[in-house]
Each structure stands twice: as C-alpha cells, then as structure tokens.
Amino acid sequence: MKIGYIIIILFAIGIIYFYFNDIKVASSLDDVIITFPRDLDEVSGIINAKGTSNYEEVYYKIDLNEWNKIKGKKWKFSIDTNKLSKGMHTIYVKANEQIKAARIIVS
C-alpha cells in the first residue's frame, strides 16, 4: 500500500510542477524545431541558426531581446556572436505559441 501512495504523490507533484511552470510536453507534432545550433554548442563568429516549423511565420530572439519575425517552414537567420559577450546565451524560436530554446556558449 505504501508504494501506491508514493506513486500517487509523485504523480500529483509532477502535475503541479507542469501546471505552474507551463511546460509543454514535446510531441512528434512540434510546431517549431531548432536543428542548429544544438543545445550547449560552443560557437564563435557568424553562425546560421536554422530549423523547421509547421507554420510560415516564425519568431526568434536572443536572450531577453525583442522578437524578430522570419518566414518559411524551413527557416534560418544569422547571429554575429562577436556582438555577444563570452559565455552562455539562449536562442528562442517561437511558432504558434510554442517556444523552443537552444543555449549556446560563445567562446
């Protein structure tokens, strides 16, 4: 009986965590996917971020900057990492309210 209660409690904690952190579970029907750079890639110079989307309109931003609009189900945009400080930065890409992120390490 005790194991059953533990499982129920862990399940409830997981539901509460997902609810309050607004986490969307990944599925095979992702609205947007970042194919490059991969999470925690070390980069320098000018890089071309790229990926795919189920929608023609895609938005991206780096760290806490403003969203920029790009078009295309196969999208890409350039990032001049020379304009970023050394260390970790986050690239966000959004399509149809789904947001994906990739952290990069600028060297």
Side-chain angles (χ1 to χ4, degrees):
M1 282 302 259
K2 291 182 181 181
I3 292 178
Y5 286 120
I6 292 171
I7 292 171
I8 291 171
I9 290 170
L10 291 174
F11 182 74
I13 289 170
I15 290 173
I16 291 168
Y17 179 81
F18 279 93
Y19 178 78
F20 285 107
N21 290 293
D22 192 28
I23 295 173
K24 295 181 181 178
V25 177
S27 71
S28 61
L29 301 174
D30 286 335
D31 289 334
V32 64
I33 297 170
I34 301 170
T35 57
F36 181 82
R38 293 180 182 243
D39 195 40
L40 298 177
D41 272 355
E42 188 171 332
V43 297
S44 63
I46 297 174
I47 64 167
N48 289 311
K50 59 184 176 179
T52 60
S53 171
N54 292 330
Y55 297 88
E56 282 293 325
E57 230 171 65
V58 178
Y59 297 84
Y60 75 92
K61 70 178 182 175
I62 300 169
D63 297 328
L64 299 176
N65 294 308
E66 297 292 319
W67 289 103
N68 300 284
K69 183 160 91 171
I70 51 178
K71 294 202 176 238
K73 291 187 175 186
K74 287 188 175 182
W75 51 265
K76 69 177 179 178
F77 58 91
S78 295
I79 303 170
D80 186 353
T81 65
N82 297 314
K83 295 181 179 179
L84 300 173
S85 61
K86 292 187 185 231
M88 192 172 302
H89 295 275
T90 305
I91 300 168
Y92 298 95
V93 179
K94 173 172 77 169
N96 191 35
E97 301 305 315
Q98 185 181 61
I99 300 173
K100 293 293 177 79
R103 296 167 293 176
I104 57 172
I105 301 168
V106 177
S107 56

